[in-house]
Amino acid sequence: KVSEDESVVYVLDTETSEYLSRETVYYINSTAVTAIEKTDSNSEYFGDSLEGFDYITLSGENVTADYRFEMYKRENSSVKYRMISPAVYNADDETISTVLSIVSEDLETGGVYEFQNGGLSDKLLKEYGLDNPCATLVYKVGKDTVTIKLQQSDTDEKYYAMTVNQDPIIYKVTRLSFDFLEYDLYKFVSSAVLLEDITGIKTVDVSIEGQKYEFNLKTAKSTNEDDEEEYNTTVKFDGKNIDYENFSRYYYYMLAVCPYISDNSLVTERPEGAEEYVSITMKHNSATDDDDITMTVFKLKNNKSRYYIELDGAPVGLCEVRFPDLIAANIDEVISNEEIEDASE
């Protein structure tokens, strides 16, 4: 309101008057999702930036599978994220960081399709296909939950129509912002099953075709003259000292067992006729048995080039035979302190 005097007439230039004739959507902030900020109550989810979450789910016909990801909170593990469904895998850090960027950074849009004061009506949502979205993303970070629904734009194949939570806005957002929805399963999967730091392990139980072996580890931490932390790990088997360098090579065999992921390799249950071959249980220095982790490798009835893996009893998928075979073939050499192949090179 410029003046109380209704007799006063102002003359506006055409450029200024153009703004007065524009629709409401022109003035709406193009930032659809504001980055979740660090507070006293959610600081556990942050490092240098937002790194953690309770869960993330991706679902819908435009997604290659219905995914659920969670943090991996096992002490002393190098694994940060886990895929919980459609199968249990260690998730790839870089890919999950890309997925998380939707809420860890401001999500800018290409504009606004619709604004409806008081909330979006069912009729309007149906008009844009958002009553049956092609993709739904849910991020749960402490007290914050962000739900995003997407539908392919009818007018431009490069854009989605998008809603965020209960905002009364249908945004226009580029498909490139959500290109991870079209990733194949293997893009989400880490290249390893076990990533346990040896300094956090107190026992490694190895079972090979029913024959059991227990290695006891003890790690001492010290500080060198440069004030840097150093770790010294000793290994024993049946009370006998085991050469640490040699055991480290054997430990690498365990960490090198990795899922073989391709479009047709997803295995969600134990194949019929699978027989247990090698089992590795790592017990952590923590006081609780809940932190123990077990990888079990099974031979397959009709496949000689692949084995099947379970992690804590849950299906992981298929793996190549090399490293499970090295674990089985070299156990006697390890306990006899005979040098084994360094497969890390």
Side-chain angles (χ1 to χ4, degrees), residues 13 24 58 102 263 309:
D13 61 78
T24 305
L58 314 175
I102 297 297
D263 293 342
I309 319 169

Side-chain angles (χ1 to χ4, degrees), residues 125-197:
L125 289 171
K126 188 172 183 179
E127 181 181 331
Y128 281 85
L130 287 162
D131 60 325
N132 184 28
C134 66
T136 300
L137 302 82
V138 180
Y139 296 81
K140 178 71 167 60
V141 181
K143 296 179 180 179
D144 293 301
T145 301
V146 178
T147 301
I148 294 172
K149 296 182 180 180
L150 303 170
Q151 185 55 270
Q152 177 60 53
S153 170
D154 288 336
T155 58
D156 192 336
E157 64 180 12
K158 295 181 180 180
Y159 286 88
Y160 285 123
M162 178 182 73
T163 60
V164 179
N165 294 335
Q166 301 301 313
D167 293 355
I169 303 167
I170 297 178
Y171 294 96
K172 176 183 179 181
V173 61
T174 175
R175 289 174 64 99
L176 289 175
S177 297
F178 295 92
D179 61 351
F180 55 80
L181 296 176
E182 299 175 29
Y183 286 177
D184 291 323
L185 178 99
Y186 68 86
K187 284 279 287 183
F188 291 100
V189 175
S190 170
S191 61
V193 179
L194 296 175
L195 280 173
E196 312 306 300
D197 186 337

Side-chain angles (χ1 to χ4, degrees), residues 248-289:
S248 294
R249 300 186 189 102
Y250 193 65
Y251 194 82
Y252 176 83
Y253 298 169
M254 304 174 196
L255 301 188
V257 176
C258 61
Y260 174 82
I261 302 297
S262 68
D263 293 342
N264 299 313
S265 68
L266 177 62
V267 179
T268 57
E269 60 182 20
R270 186 182 300 175
E272 184 178 354
E275 295 183 354
E276 183 174 325
Y277 176 35
V278 172
S279 179
I280 307 293
T281 297
M282 295 184 178
K283 298 182 179 180
H284 292 74
N285 290 326
S286 56
T288 171
D289 290 340

Side-chain angles (χ1 to χ4, degrees), residues 33-36 49-51 97 99-106:
V33 179
T34 302
I36 295 174
S49 60
L50 179 64
E51 297 177 355
S97 293
V99 176
L100 188 60
S101 69
I102 297 297
V103 295
S104 66
E105 303 171 8
D106 289 349

